[in-house]
Amino acid sequence: MPDVRISELPAAGTPGDADLAPLVQSNGTSLETRRATVAQLRGAVLADRAAHVRDYGAVGDGTTDDGPAIQAAVNDLKLKGGGTLQFGPRVYRIASPIVVNGVTIRFQGQGFTEGPAPGQGTWLRITTTGFTPFTFTGVLARGSAVADIAVQQSHTASQVPGWAPTNYDYVFRVEDCFGGVDFDNVYLCAVNRGIYARNSGRVDIRRLRGQVFTVGVEIDECYDVPRLHNVHFWTFWTSNINVIRWQQANGDTMIFRRCDGVFIDQAFALGYRSMFRFASSAAGFTQKFYIGQAYTDFTLYGLLIEANGTDGQVANLTHHGDTLDNIGPIAGGIGVYINASNTRVQIANLRIDSVENSPIRVNGFNNRLDIFALRCVRFNVNNNASPALLLGNSGAQAPNAVYLGSPPLLEQSNNAPVVNAGGNAILALGAPAGVAARPGLSVGATNSGLFQPATGALAAAAGGAEVLRATSAGAVTLGAAPGSHALEVATPAAAANRLLVSGAGTGSAVTLQAQGLDTNIDLTVTGKGSGLLRTATPATADNSTAVATTAWVRLQGLGGGGGAVSSVAGRTGDVTLSTTDVGGFATAASAAAPVQSVAGRTGTVTLTTADVGGFATAAAAAAPVQSVAGRTGTVTLTTTDVGGFATAAAAAAPVQSVAGRTGTVTLAVADVAGAAPLASPAFTGTPTAPTVALADTSTAIATTAWVRGQGYGTGGAGTLPAPVVQSGKWLVPPVSAIATAAVAANTLYLSPLPVWEAMTLDRLGLRVSTGVAGNCKLGAYRWDATNQQFALVAGSETGVVLTNTAAVIVGTPGTSIVLTQPTLLWIASTFDATPTVTTWSAAAANGGGFQTFIAQDETAGAPNASVLTTNGGFARLARTAALTWSGGAVTLPATIAATDLTRAATSPGSPIGIARRA
């Protein structure tokens, strides 16, 4: 080439890849000038260096869709084995999806300026919906990363009440990578949904901040310890109250579904529904979560657990539940809300400020919540006695339990209780059982405090020795362990009486007193075996209620004379004295005359003051009785103590006979004037008897009150119609059924027919006063008192066809009704139409004369309705349950329970009629 200076060469235009350029290159021993194309030079210079999105056509002007260029870069890097894709300090608009599949790529930005809109640094702008901007998937995508990049979405709705965000999908989706994808120093500004990771363990998110609306981070099926550090969600885009209210009603900063061992630390959120939400999916729920430092502000729920079985630990959590405009706590806000069952959560330090009602709420069953230090400030704002801990009743399931490591600090609570009353939940300061030498709950020293020696027992130790034990059976021992104790209290089951031991002030005695439900209660103090009750001996001159000991009695000169009795009447052992053992008894007894009468009466005589002459005058004038017969104390009078008794007794005449008989006399009914025998007594006057229960079916006497209680004897004129002697076959109730009373279709009616002698009935009939075309079924029932039901007489059913005219309708039962004794029959009828029935009747097959309360004409072979009377009435019953006709036929029920019957609405009541032979 010519030997000219470079400055003398003509200027080159835009170089192309095929343009040649000289290149001085060493061959090891000398220098040689060689040619190379621009493409070769670029490849040599850029080999193994990070790719840049501008090299693939990305513009970064905030308007052009740079998605295809970025995807082209991803595809190229995949061919080269992955690498870093650089983004310049520009605004890249993403309007189409970018998928990182089967390649490890790091999206590296240039940082960003925090603010409500793109500023300096690298920004990704998203303005259209319906797609996922970035997706990482496939095993080779794990290890990818997004760093130093800000994301902004456009939300054009006016920020007025009812505002809602534009419904964008997640900006980043990490799915089926089976490993970690890192997010470091990522800013989500006005983003609807941020990061979603599924089936990709070890996801690592650090220095994530921004303002999201629906979800910040959601993780599911992450089986290998995901991590979130330095998370900060705040009002970077806007603090408009309408936007914040939407977030407080709908936004969750972090959602965890099936996660194993998720680590969360240095987290902050302001203005959301929940900061930590533990839910579930088809894959399961979160186990062993760990939260280090967390602070949630202006948020509805600080910690929200919705999935059964969730368990984890929280080191430090602070929750503040006010609205952003400071009008008070968010309605329904709760600091820690467990709305699930079988969860296990331990919290070391928990502070909850400004909630409407209860700071902590546990629903479901078998939940265990342990809190070492709890402080609640400004709750129960509605002053409705909302407790600091609202624990749900688990019913028959295992109860919920909350254990506190120290007494809770409750401030500005309107005197709210610690826990709600009622229910079966447990709130306790827990401690291990321990032993006497090392109590589970120590006080002052490690060997003094409370411990549990056995199930159902609680004991106290002092200096390593047991000094008190109480059991669930009501036993208390004091002084030492049972067996070595000095005092024991036993409480029997259902104890009603008790012992009260009371101290006293100076100059007063302590008391030992029986108390309880009984009016009079003995106090028994006994020794064991032959042991005695011993007490102090009072002074010899004592005259009080003090106990007189044997020593005090002997000091009174009593109980010390003579020796012990060696025999009685010459006998030892158990001696029973007789009259022969009393000297002179026989002589004195024979000399005494027997008492003939007392106060003019014989037999067992009870004296009154009237029997003592001058008693009233003497009693009024007398001073109080000082002694009786010269004796004090308990005095038993003898005949010698009564002046003149012997003379009066000798003058009285003894009873000679009773009812003309002497000796041992047993009186009979005949011996008592006017007495009636027990068997077949003949009463006179108006005898009465007890009225038995209305349901009684025994041989007890039926009083008029009992009869009226059965519904009889109260209808009509109050008397039965006069009987009319009539010879014939037909027996009818005493009156017409009810004139012009329509019956209901498909209803079974019962009408009573008393028969007072044995007979055989071979026809059943009724009179229809208003005809109608249809069918009728007749039958007869008896009352079964044992089973309290009506029983159908076998074979008594007969069908009858109704016409459109009034008529007497007669039916023949399949089997004659044989009555072997007086019987109360109940004639049954049911209709599939609605005629008006006047009366029911039955006919006897054996003829003969009968008297009924209605005269009948037997010549026509059926009852003659023209002679029916309307006096009185009878009880007509209707079955509540309807019958079902089919093809003009119906089957009567074999039995009818009394509870299935009601009195027909048009029935006139009682009395019922009676039929008997004339």
Side-chain angles (χ1 to χ4, degrees), residues 22-43:
L23 182 66
V24 179
Q25 188 175 31
S26 172
N27 60 9
T29 59
S30 61
L31 297 177
E32 295 182 4
T33 301
R34 299 180 179 180
R35 67 178 181 271
T37 65
V38 172
Q40 289 176 318
L41 292 173
R42 182 188 303 110

Side-chain angles (χ1 to χ4, degrees), residues 661-704:
R661 299 192 296 280
T662 59
T664 302
V665 178
T666 302
L667 296 177
V669 174
D671 297 320
V672 181
L678 293 177
S680 302
F683 296 120
T684 61
T686 306
T688 60
T691 299
V692 296
L694 292 179
D696 188 88
T697 58
S698 67
T699 57
I701 294 175
T703 63
T704 57

Side-chain angles (χ1 to χ4, degrees), residues 766-860:
L766 60 89
R767 174 169 178 77
V768 177
S769 59
T770 301
V772 63
N775 298 282
C776 171
K777 191 68 172 286
L778 299 173
Y781 283 83
R782 289 190 180 96
W783 172 245
D784 180 357
T786 302
N787 297 310
Q788 293 291 295
Q789 63 185 9
F790 290 91
L792 180 66
V793 177
S796 66
E797 295 180 84
T798 177
V800 180
V801 178
L802 303 176
T803 66
N804 285 318
T805 60
V808 176
I809 307 300
V810 178
T812 302
T815 303
S816 296
I817 304 171
V818 179
L819 305 177
T820 60
Q821 61 184 3
T823 305
L824 175 62
L825 284 181
W826 291 80
I827 307 303
S829 61
T830 182
F831 312 87
D832 64 355
T834 56
T836 298
V837 177
T838 302
T839 190
W840 288 260
S841 57
N846 60 343
F850 294 90
Q851 174 183 333
T852 71
F853 289 136
I854 304 172
Q856 296 295 318
D857 180 1
E858 69 171 345
T859 58

Side-chain angles (χ1 to χ4, degrees), residues 277-355:
R277 178 184 170 194
F278 290 91
S280 63
S281 69
F285 52 89
T286 297
Q287 295 178 303
K288 302 176 183 176
F289 69 79
Y290 304 93
I291 299 174
Q293 314 291 327
Y295 177 23
T296 170
D297 204 2
F298 301 104
T299 301
L300 186 66
Y301 307 125
L303 175 62
L304 172 61
I305 298 179
E306 300 172 319
N308 296 338
T310 301
D311 72 83
Q313 299 173 336
V314 180
N316 301 282
L317 174 61
T318 297
H319 170 82
H320 186 90
D322 265 332
T323 59
L324 192 63
D325 51 359
N326 293 316
I327 62 173
I330 304 172
I334 303 171
V336 174
Y337 186 17
I338 298 176
N339 193 23
S341 299
N342 299 311
T343 66
R344 301 290 184 267
V345 179
Q346 292 83 45
I347 303 176
N349 300 292
L350 175 61
R351 172 172 177 169
I352 300 175
D353 287 14
S354 189
V355 293

Side-chain angles (χ1 to χ4, degrees), residues 625-638 641:
V625 175
Q626 301 296 326
S627 65
V628 177
R631 301 193 295 280
T632 59
T634 301
V635 178
T636 302
L637 295 175
T638 65
D641 295 318

